Amino acid sequence: MDLLRNFFKGDKAIWIIFLFLCLISIVEVFSASSTLTYKSGDHWGPITNHLTMLLVGTVIVWIVHNIPCRWFKTFIALLPISWILLGAVFVIGAITNGAKRWIDLGFIQFQPSEIAKMGTIISVAFILSKMQEEKGANPKAFKYIMIVTLFTCALIFTENLSTCVLLAISVFLMMFIGRIPMKQIGLLVVTCTFLLITGGLTIKFVPAETWDKVGLHRMVTWQNRLESHFNKQEVPAAKFNIYEDSQVAHANIAIASSNILGKGPGNSVQRDFLSQAFSDFIYAIIIEELGLIGGASVAILYILLLMRIGRIARKCDKSYYVFLITGIGILIMTQALFNMLVAVGIMPVTGQPLPLISKGGTSTLINCVYIGMILSISRYVNDRKQEEANQLIGTQEGESMTATTIENPETVQASINK
């Protein structure tokens, strides 16, 4: 037990949640990878690659959770590096699923936007911690945060609008928690609401040909997604074209055909029709196979993760650790919420994977880094708590010895002579 305790440091509940999410991921990705199996002709190939990625991710969690959390400030260097990589995507980026989001070096393929998200969260946490005053954050913090966030989002939004929105929401919540003046928060809300309405109307009414001419092909994709999502016109079953929006249609069928306990692991039917069943729509497959109980259990795991992060944040004595761990928790929870809301048809399709469950490369590894950072901060909190307890015990023993000396000086002198 002592060996395991020394090997798996930090908050044990975080470790358990992480391992449960990985276990669910292994079972569901193996079940949902039928389309990959069909394309590759290798039954074990997809799950073998995913298992390898999870094992590498677990090693990353262990390495990062042993890094002193004061070193995480140096990770701010990831932000300018990610900006350079995001710029390179426009030149040498690989197109996957109609979007240019990847850099393919032959031996490795990765998404710079995932690195940019991490760099932005770390940078915002640093700015908030450095500019805290007695009554709240210095108003200048808002300007610096907006510069960092807007520049990152500007490099992301043309090819990955959902990631841009996800990052913006996470930073906004961090600013709210970081006590940015409410006047600035209110101005930001009004501005974002105006831009959201203007952007939505622009996407809706600008012809697809115009978007293609200016090179913003992803706007056509969003135009179709928004039109499909907000079109509430009822279509008779006989006239319904399942091939027009097959992802959403088959996700709805998967959920509707489930029940309390589901069809059982490996018994999904819709996985053969969902091209992204192992990624964007894996939550629909989870509900189909594990039922409402399985779907609720996955949601509860993320809620418990956020609650444990909140508990660790409350025990931190340094504001940087509070803002960093809170930002990471918000980012993971918001991404999980995006994925689940898309799967059940509440939100338009966004292309966001389910953290630590969906099959992925860069996303999986970056999420493992997040878990390692959370555990490192929890380890710092535990060590500080242990030091305070040891100091208290030492103080009490010293006071007890002093009292004994005053009350019985002869007895103490006799002990010394012996």
Side-chain angles (χ1 to χ4, degrees), residues 193-205 211 219 226:
T193 302
F194 173 76
L195 292 175
L196 183 63
I197 295 173
T198 305
L201 293 175
T202 302
I203 292 174
K204 178 177 176 62
F205 292 109
W211 290 121
M219 294 301 106
L226 292 173

Side-chain angles (χ1 to χ4, degrees), residues 24 27-29 31-32 250-271 274 277 280-299 336-337 339-346 354 357:
I24 294 170
V27 174
E28 293 304 318
V29 168
S31 174
H250 287 293
N252 290 338
I253 293 172
I255 295 172
S257 61
S258 180
N259 50 46
I260 299 297
L261 298 177
K263 298 175 181 178
N267 293 324
S268 171
V269 175
Q270 301 307 313
R271 64 187 177 186
L274 278 164
D280 302 350
F281 287 90
I282 195 167
Y283 191 64
I285 303 303
I286 290 173
I287 294 176
E288 183 184 12
E289 294 190 347
L290 304 181
L292 297 178
I293 292 178
S297 298
V298 170
L337 189 62
N339 181 280
M340 291 186 283
L341 291 179
V342 167
V344 299
I346 296 176
L354 193 58
I357 292 182

Side-chain angles (χ1 to χ4, degrees), residues 32-53:
S33 298
S34 60
T35 54
L36 292 179
T37 301
Y38 176 77
K39 292 177 182 178
S40 65
D42 184 357
H43 183 72
W44 290 102
I47 190 59
T48 301
N49 294 336
H50 185 59
L51 274 171
T52 302
M53 196 62 64

Side-chain angles (χ1 to χ4, degrees), residues 192-315:
C192 289
T193 302
F194 173 76
L195 292 175
L196 183 63
I197 295 173
T198 305
L201 293 175
T202 302
I203 292 174
K204 178 177 176 62
F205 292 109
V206 172
E209 296 79 8
T210 304
W211 290 121
D212 289 329
K213 286 180 182 178
V214 298
L216 297 176
H217 311 291
R218 291 296 295 175
M219 294 301 106
V220 180
T221 302
W222 273 100
Q223 192 176 58
N224 296 330
R225 286 177 177 176
L226 292 173
E227 183 178 353
S228 174
H229 181 75
F230 291 106
N231 184 9
K232 300 302 181 182
Q233 182 180 359
E234 292 187 8
V235 180
K239 295 182 179 181
F240 183 78
N241 187 352
I242 197 172
Y243 300 104
E244 284 187 357
D245 200 359
S246 60
Q247 291 278 65
V248 175
H250 287 293
N252 290 338
I253 293 172
I255 295 172
S257 61
S258 180
N259 50 46
I260 299 297
L261 298 177
K263 298 175 181 178
N267 293 324
S268 171
V269 175
Q270 301 307 313
R271 64 187 177 186
D272 297 328
F273 304 99
L274 278 164
S275 60
Q276 295 296 316
F278 51 85
S279 179
D280 302 350
F281 287 90
I282 195 167
Y283 191 64
I285 303 303
I286 290 173
I287 294 176
E288 183 184 12
E289 294 190 347
L290 304 181
L292 297 178
I293 292 178
S297 298
V298 170
I300 289 171
L301 284 175
Y302 288 112
I303 294 171
L304 290 175
L305 177 62
L306 187 63
M307 290 173 63
R308 295 300 298 186
I309 289 173
R311 183 176 179 182
I312 295 168
R314 285 196 300 271
K315 295 180 180 179

Side-chain angles (χ1 to χ4, degrees), residues 10-11 22-23 83 146 151 178 181 183 192 229 232 280 374 407:
D11 191 280
C22 289
L23 180 61
W83 288 346
M146 291 307 297
F151 194 77
K183 183 178 179 180
C192 289
H229 181 75
K232 300 302 181 182
D280 302 350
I374 294 168
E407 293 176 4

